[in-house]
């Protein structure tokens, strides 16, 4: 596999994502022998920098983001020798000619353009690339979110990129799909017969998907204030996780088999009326509080936030799927900034036993549950009831745990390492197809509209908590509770 | 609960079971405060011993079998003060009068006769007890196996004991039912909803129940040579374990609800024709070999074994249940002496995924399985497929483990501690009912008869192995393998 040569052009090459994630991921894969010595990584941005200047910049901005245990100076030197820089200006067609000159025409060489720029530039960049003769039928393009801010703008981006690149050359990244634990959920569901009979309304009581961050909007206030948690997190990551949980078993893991199955989930999501938005969603905004014992300002005090902004930093939603497998099973989605813990997880709560014959007085909880943890550490827990030692038949809950890190010795890949190598090798399975993206926007839009039309501001919550009380009430009305409250 | 006073009379009080298991169990429960200070433990046997002599005998024969961590001299002194001795001779009615004199008549005091003697004495003892006025309607009797050597002799014992004691006062011990892990199997099945949809022919491929011993017939050769593994182990322990695995969920854990459900399993066991005995059973006899690196003699060289004996020391059986839940699912039973390891376990092998879409080339095994370990240590493993870290979607098998000892902090009871306290408290659930015992004999008898009628001797196997090759072949014909060969 090492033999796959490529030219990878990184637009936004001096940006934050390139420095924090993309270049460290490429270095790491290089170090572990996955990148052919004849491959080129070409960073590009508006500045005029020599290769040497860019490499110096990398040492300053990129190296600190490489895991210490993976860094090796000799390895870095070999890596940076394969990295060059070309200045391109999206408003200047000519600058793309010199980029064209750098690209190597070889039949087996993959050509990838990674657009780690503001989406406003996607159309221009794609147009210039085509005009400069950079795009062959096999050329791939990678798009980073946000891919629009509603259905219309998302369609506009897809139309523009789609005018130059065929759909099966477009890699839309949702980096949650690159996480080992999310792929493990796929492996769990489709590598094990035993979960299938459990995986439906007959045995699943509710599903909870949480992505909680402790960071606030700091550092990207202006962007965040025009976006909010619904667009930033729910429309992308949380719906993708929901798809992986709820999808039907695909016939293969080929890209379209998997994406067809995910699309069916998105299309089965019940659309909310305005009234339902009021009863099934909660939006919140944090006020000053403390995270990990450190005082933090409220959202409205953060730099870049418009005074009186109603942008939500927290969302909780009770979603439902209109299909045979899942009818009536609540899917609770929840995400927020400045939460009590950094934690991402999927909880599958199974029903209680239909008829209890054992003494459960020693048990805090009586239903089975499967917890797939994505953050801060990957892991899997299956909670079961076991007999307490001693007389009688009292049961208590115990966890069967799998810490992926301990259990599976091989080195684990960062999400971007995985996804970049998938792009280079032409594996589309973990990337979103246009119709998925648009189905996700279609479901989210009625919520956006209802919130925009509503008189009331978001519910406030104290930074460092699990969000507004309305979030507990949303799930509490069903006589259920979020994991940490259960 | 401590308040339950009792008089417990231990026939066979100077015997092996009393010294190794029963008296240590009673001491331990005494030490942990479960035995009321006004309770009496009265050992009885043919010898004439004073209380003092018997207590001295206990210090010599019983104390070495108490777990070191549980032994405490002060506690022992308190315990032995509650133990007395009465000589009784089953052939001498008068000797029972002095026993009667020791029994205390109190309405709330439980009276228990534990018959840890040869079954040939059961009838006499029960008759004498009744004649001496020792038996009230509430008096309980505990019977140790072997309860007969075929259906007829078992019925004779049950008739004789049943003439004196009502069925719900008769506690037939199968000490495997006293094991924590067997009770945990009950808790697992009926305390967790998630196993129910898996627990049938739809998802279970095969069940394997193994009780392997490393000891030989040494020390009890004469008894063993007239008994064999089929009577000694299959008819009792293995069929009881099979019942716990295969039973329908009972309406409660009341004795008759559970025992009705177990009985239905025994009655659903398909009876073998003589031809089926030849194809579905394997009997073996060990020859000289080595266990744990130590040379050991063959069965025929052991003391007390008749020359040319055809008694089986190993049995493997492919059983099947004729009911809707289990039709077509093989239940492989296996037990033997002088095996490679001391190991008792139940393995539930689930089917493979119906359609494989993941790369299983990294996986030694692809089906899920649940292993309930009874010996040498209690534990539970659920084997699942998880994704191997790195690129692609290769899966490998990993185990979710529960070591009961680590996980559940409370002190665990030895099987006899559990069962003795159940007798004292009048809990019949873990004891066999007469109809169960007789159903078990009915199923075993055609096998006994076919073997007796057969020309061929048992297959030999080398001591320290997993039995004769025919055992592997029995399961191999179904394209399956025993756990350690899989």
């Amino acid at each position: 596999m090492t033999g796959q040569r490529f030219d990878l052009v990184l637009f936004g090459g001096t940006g934050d994502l390139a420095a924090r994630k993309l270049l460290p991921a490429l270095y790491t894969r290089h170090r572990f022998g996955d990148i052919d010595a004849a491959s080129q990584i070409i960073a590009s941005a508006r500045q005029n920098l020599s290769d040497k200047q860019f490499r110096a910049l990398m040492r300053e901005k990129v190296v600190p983001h490489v895991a210490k245990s993976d860094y090796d100076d000799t390895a870095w030197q070999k890596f940076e020798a394969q990295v060059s820089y070309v200045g391109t200006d999206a408003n200047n067609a000519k600058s793309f000619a010199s980029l064209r000159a750098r690209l190597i025409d070889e039949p087996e060489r993959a050509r990838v353009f990674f657009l780690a720029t503001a989406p406003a530039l996607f159309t221009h960049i794609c147009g210039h690339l085509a005009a400069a003769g950079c795009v062959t039928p096999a050329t791939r393009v990678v798009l980073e979110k946000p891919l629009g801010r509603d259905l219309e703008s998302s369609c506009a981006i897809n139309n523009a990129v789609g005018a130059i690149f065929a759909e099966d050359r477009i890699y839309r990244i949702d980096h949650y799909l690159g996480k080992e634990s999310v792929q493990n959920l796929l492996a769990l569901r489709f590598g094990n017969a035993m979960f299938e009979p459990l995986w439906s309304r007959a045995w699943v009581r509710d599903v909870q998907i949480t992505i909680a961050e402790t960071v606030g909007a700091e550092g990207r206030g202006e962007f965040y204030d025009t976006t909010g948690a619904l667009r930033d997190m729910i429309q992308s990551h949380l719906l993708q996780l929901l798809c992986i949980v709820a999808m039907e078993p695909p016939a293969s893991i080929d890209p379209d088999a998997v994406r067809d199955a995910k699309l069916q989930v998105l299309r089965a999501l019940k659309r909310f009326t305005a009234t339902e938005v009021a009863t099934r969603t909660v939006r919140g905004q944090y006020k000053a509080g403390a995270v990990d014992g450190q005082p933090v300002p409220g959202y409205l005090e953060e730099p870049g936030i418009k005074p009186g902004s109603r942008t939500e930093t927290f969302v909780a939603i009770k979603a439902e799927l209109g299909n045979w497998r899942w009818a009536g099973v609540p899917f609770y989605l929840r995400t927020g900034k400045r939460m009590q813990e950094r934690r991402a997880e999927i909880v599958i709560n199974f029903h209680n036993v239909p008829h209890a014959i054992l003494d459960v007085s020693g048990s805090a909880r009586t239903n089975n549950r499967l917890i797939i943890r994505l953050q801060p550490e990957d892991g899997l827990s299956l909670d079961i009831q076991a007999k307490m030692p001693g007389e009688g038949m009292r049961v208590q809950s115990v966890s069967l745990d799998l810490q992926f890190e301990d259990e599976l010795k091989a080195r684990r890949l960062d999400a971007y390492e995985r996804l970049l190598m998938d792009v280079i090798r032409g594996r589309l399975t973990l990337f979103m197809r246009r119709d998925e993206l648009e189905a996700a926007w279609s479901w989210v839009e009625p919520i956006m509209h209802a919130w925009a039309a509503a008189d009331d501001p978001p519910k406030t919550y104290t930074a460092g908590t699990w969000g507004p009380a309305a979030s507990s009430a949303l799930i509490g009305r069903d006589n259920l509770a979020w994991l940490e409250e259960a």
Side-chain angles (χ1 to χ4, degrees), chain A:
Chain A
M1 297 293 274
T2 315
Q4 175 66 64
R5 291 179 182 181
F6 63 85
D7 289 346
L8 168 64
V9 182
L10 207 51
F11 289 98
T14 56
D16 193 50
L17 186 71
R20 284 191 305 111
K21 295 288 183 184
L22 305 178
L23 289 165
L26 289 165
Y27 158 75
T28 309
R29 286 298 90 208
H30 186 275
R31 161 136 205 220
F32 286 98
D34 276 350
I35 293 185
D36 188 274
S39 294
Q40 300 190 88
I41 295 159
I42 305 167
S44 183
R46 225 190 289 197
Q47 297 97 306
N48 263 319
L49 298 172
S50 68
D51 291 350
K52 200 173 159 192
Q53 283 173 313
F54 184 74
R55 286 172 193 150
L57 192 68
M58 283 209 296
R59 289 206 169 240
E60 181 192 334
K61 303 276 192 194
V62 177
V63 169
H65 296 289
V66 172
K68 277 223 166 53
S69 53
D70 290 336
Y71 186 79
D72 173 90
D73 203 61
T74 316
W76 182 267
Q77 284 174 36
K78 287 187 191 161
F79 169 68
E80 69 176 5
Q82 289 183 247
V83 181
S84 60
Y85 182 87
V86 180
T88 51
D89 181 345
N91 299 317
N92 173 2
K94 282 184 201 156
S95 66
F96 283 80
S98 39
L99 174 62
R100 175 66 190 90
R102 296 276 186 106
L103 300 174
I104 300 172
D105 294 299
E106 272 179 5
E108 294 299 308
R109 177 176 287 257
R111 184 174 294 171
V112 178
F113 296 108
F114 195 119
L115 309 193
T117 65
L121 301 178
F122 288 179
T123 313
H124 295 296
I125 295 174
C126 290
H128 288 312
L129 286 173
C134 296
V135 180
T136 68
T139 301
R140 298 163 201 160
V141 66
V142 186
L143 308 180
E144 259 292 334
K145 74 161 197 171
L147 293 174
R149 48 177 289 106
D150 53 21
L151 181 58
E152 192 185 341
S153 56
S154 168
C155 286
I157 292 171
N158 283 324
N159 286 339
V161 176
I164 311 294
F165 295 92
E167 176 61 28
D168 65 355
R169 303 298 180 216
I170 304 176
Y171 291 73
R172 293 177 190 86
I173 281 197
D174 186 313
H175 72 267
Y176 269 76
L177 297 186
K179 287 183 185 285
E180 282 287 347
S181 43
V182 174
Q183 294 161 52
N184 238 313
L185 179 55
L186 280 170
L188 210 64
R189 287 201 56 197
F190 305 126
N192 296 282
M194 64 170 285
F195 293 108
E196 178 56 21
L198 297 169
W199 218 258
S200 77
R201 64 197 304 277
W203 298 96
V204 173
R205 188 186 70 186
D206 66 286
V207 176
Q208 301 179 11
I209 304 178
T210 296
I211 304 180
E213 301 176 292
T214 48
V215 296
E218 78 273 17
R220 57 199 279 255
E222 274 166 59
F223 163 75
Y224 194 85
D225 201 39
T226 61
T227 306
L230 184 69
R231 287 186 178 88
D232 192 40
M233 301 295 289
I234 299 279
Q235 183 274 334
S236 51
H237 307 315
L238 280 99
L239 287 187
Q240 284 294 314
L241 296 182
L242 185 152
C243 285
I244 305 278
V245 172
M247 69 196 276
E248 294 296 318
S252 73
I253 52 160
D254 292 346
D256 283 332
V258 172
R259 300 190 295 182
D260 285 349
K262 284 162 59 195
L263 180 64
Q264 292 314 310
V265 175
L266 293 166
R267 292 205 168 138
L269 274 171
K270 288 194 184 176
R271 244 132 269 252
F272 292 161
T273 62
T275 319
E276 285 170 332
V277 170
T279 58
R280 290 168 163 268
T281 73
V282 172
R283 58 187 171 131
Q285 190 185 75
Y286 62 85
K287 56 186 183 184
V291 172
D292 289 333
Q294 297 299 314
V296 296
Y299 180 71
L300 296 175
E301 289 101 65
E302 303 262 13
I305 308 304
K306 280 197 307 288
S309 166
R310 290 186 166 192
T311 299
E312 77 284 357
T313 63
F314 174 94
V315 180
I317 298 181
K318 177 186 175 181
E320 263 184 64
L321 291 169
N323 65 21
W324 276 42
R325 190 186 280 265
W326 295 116
V329 177
F331 284 76
Y332 300 101
L333 311 178
R334 176 175 62 153
T335 185
K337 291 197 174 293
R338 291 286 190 225
M339 306 290 282
Q340 192 163 316
E341 291 170 29
R342 174 165 172 263
R343 191 211 283 179
E345 72 199 355
I346 299 168
V347 182
I348 317 283
N349 275 309
F350 297 100
H351 280 297
N352 269 312
V353 292
H355 170 67
I357 65 174
L358 305 178
D359 174 1
V360 296
S361 60
S363 202
R365 193 176 28 72
T366 57
N367 71 306
N368 295 124
R369 67 184 181 197
L370 179 67
I371 303 176
I372 299 113
R373 294 184 206 281
L374 321 183
Q375 269 167 3
E377 269 149 30
D378 287 6
L380 182 76
S381 296
L382 179 63
D383 291 353
I384 63 167
Q385 305 291 313
K387 180 182 169 292
M388 293 177 74
E391 291 190 66
M393 277 299 278
R394 284 177 72 194
V395 296
Q396 71 184 46
S397 44
V398 293
S399 289
L400 298 176
D401 290 314
L402 184 67
Q403 288 295 105
F404 292 127
E405 227 139 338
D406 304 342
E407 203 55 48
L408 305 164
K409 310 290 185 219
R411 188 184 177 282
R412 308 176 58 255
L413 302 187
D414 172 79
Y416 277 101
E417 291 178 54
R418 164 72 196 234
L419 294 173
L420 280 163
M421 294 315 293
D422 275 3
V423 173
I424 288 163
R425 291 177 182 164
R427 295 176 179 154
L428 270 163
T429 300
L430 298 179
F431 299 85
M432 284 182 294
R433 207 167 56 187
R434 174 175 183 161
D435 45 10
E436 282 183 79
L437 185 71
E438 292 173 3
W441 278 120
S442 301
W443 184 72
V444 161
E445 277 206 333
I447 303 172
M448 286 164 31
H449 294 327
W451 285 353
D455 280 337
D456 54 327
K459 305 267 193 292
T460 56
Y461 62 99
T462 305
T465 67
W466 284 108
S471 166
S472 302
L474 174 77
I475 190 166
R477 283 196 292 276
D478 297 332
N479 286 315
L480 299 172
W482 295 107
L483 178 62
E484 74 281 353
E485 300 166 346

